[in-house]
């Protein structure tokens, strides 16, 4: 789940709402169609808030390898759970197939980051890191906007403006190499 957050930039609720039917291994994409959130005291699977949040996102090959391994583990969990298994078709589910609680994910993340000595790192920061990696790798702000499901390019530009001067400098330097040899 955390690798997916880092490499694809999904929000917590989007990660928890991701269904196996939304992962296209052949095309190397996933489709964001639903999210999991707590509302009115219970977990609900709901549509994303905005039209831009509903999107098809490219998935790195390495992440797809981890998805396949996770799917095998989930199949073993399903067998072990037997009749207790509740099939919601979710990629990231509890050991009996039920949706994961966003609060549980936060508590688990806090333990992982504390063990790694990263007390400052929020789960949402993995999404920011994904955007930064995309920009540094040469993706346009519009591409980053589409991958993250931002509604406006201005949001992408304002959030990641600190990275853009470095990217612009690298692009100009690279262009100069071609011009001057």
């Amino acid at each position: 789940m955390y690798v997916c957050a880092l490499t694809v930039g999904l929000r917590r609720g989007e990660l928890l709402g991701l269904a196996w039917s939304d992962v296209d291994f052949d095309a190397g994409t996933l489709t964001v169609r639903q999210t999991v959130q707590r509302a009115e005291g219970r977990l609900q699977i709901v549509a994303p808030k905005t039209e831009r949040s509903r999107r098809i996102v490219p998935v790195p090959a390495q992440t797809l390898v981890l998805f396949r391994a996770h799917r095998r583990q989930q199949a073993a969990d399903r067998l072990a759970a037997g009749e207790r298994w509740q099939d919601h078709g979710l990629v990231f589910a509890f050991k009996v197939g039920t949706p994961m609680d966003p609060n549980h994910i936060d508590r688990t993340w806090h333990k992982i980051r504390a063990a790694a000595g990263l007390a400052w790192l929020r789960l949402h920061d993995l999404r920011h890191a994904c955007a930064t990696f995309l920009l540094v790798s040469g993706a346009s702000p519009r591409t980053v906007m589409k991958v993250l499901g931002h509604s406006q390019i201005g949001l992408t530009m304002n959030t990641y403006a600190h990275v853009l001067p470095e990217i612009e400098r690298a692009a100009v330097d690279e262009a100069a190499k071609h011009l001057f040899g």
Side-chain angles (χ1 to χ4, degrees), residues 18-19 22 31 43 50 56 63 65 92 114 116 130 135 142 151-152 179:
L18 185 63
D22 296 330
T31 303
L43 289 180
T50 68
I56 298 173
T63 304
V65 168
F92 304 113
C130 176
L135 288 167
R142 180 159 300 284
S151 58
Q152 303 170 19
L179 288 171

Side-chain angles (χ1 to χ4, degrees), residues 33-179:
R33 298 179 205 270
Q34 60 188 21
T35 67
V36 170
Q37 56 186 261
R38 181 166 290 286
E40 300 172 11
R42 62 185 181 89
L43 289 180
Q44 297 181 13
I45 297 175
V46 298
K49 286 191 279 189
T50 68
E51 191 58 40
R52 292 252 185 191
S53 292
R54 294 174 193 90
R55 62 199 186 278
I56 298 173
V57 181
V59 180
Q62 301 89 332
T63 304
L64 290 171
V65 168
L66 293 174
F67 274 169
R68 285 183 179 96
H70 179 66
R71 189 167 55 175
R72 286 190 299 273
Q73 178 58 54
Q74 194 177 70
D77 292 342
R78 183 180 191 144
L79 284 173
E83 290 182 16
R84 294 178 303 135
W85 182 265
Q86 297 178 36
D87 193 6
H88 292 270
L90 298 173
V91 173
F92 304 113
F94 280 123
K95 295 270 187 190
V96 293
T98 56
M100 296 180 103
D101 189 315
N103 294 330
H104 172 78
I105 297 306
D106 286 343
R107 286 190 302 275
T108 303
W109 176 250
H110 291 305
K111 289 177 187 175
I112 291 169
R113 73 173 194 188
L118 301 170
W120 54 270
L121 188 67
R122 303 169 303 152
L123 178 61
H124 195 74
D125 291 332
L126 299 180
R127 177 174 163 82
H128 291 307
C130 176
T132 302
F133 292 146
L134 288 169
L135 288 167
V136 169
S137 297
S140 71
R142 180 159 300 284
T143 297
V144 175
M145 177 191 87
K146 290 172 74 176
V147 168
L148 296 182
H150 284 165
S151 58
Q152 303 170 19
I153 196 161
L155 177 59
T156 302
M157 296 297 290
N158 290 337
T159 304
Y160 304 104
H162 65 284
V163 181
L164 295 176
E166 295 173 32
I167 295 167
E168 291 166 350
R169 168 57 54 201
V172 168
D173 289 347
E174 188 64 26
K177 285 181 195 176
H178 292 289
L179 288 171

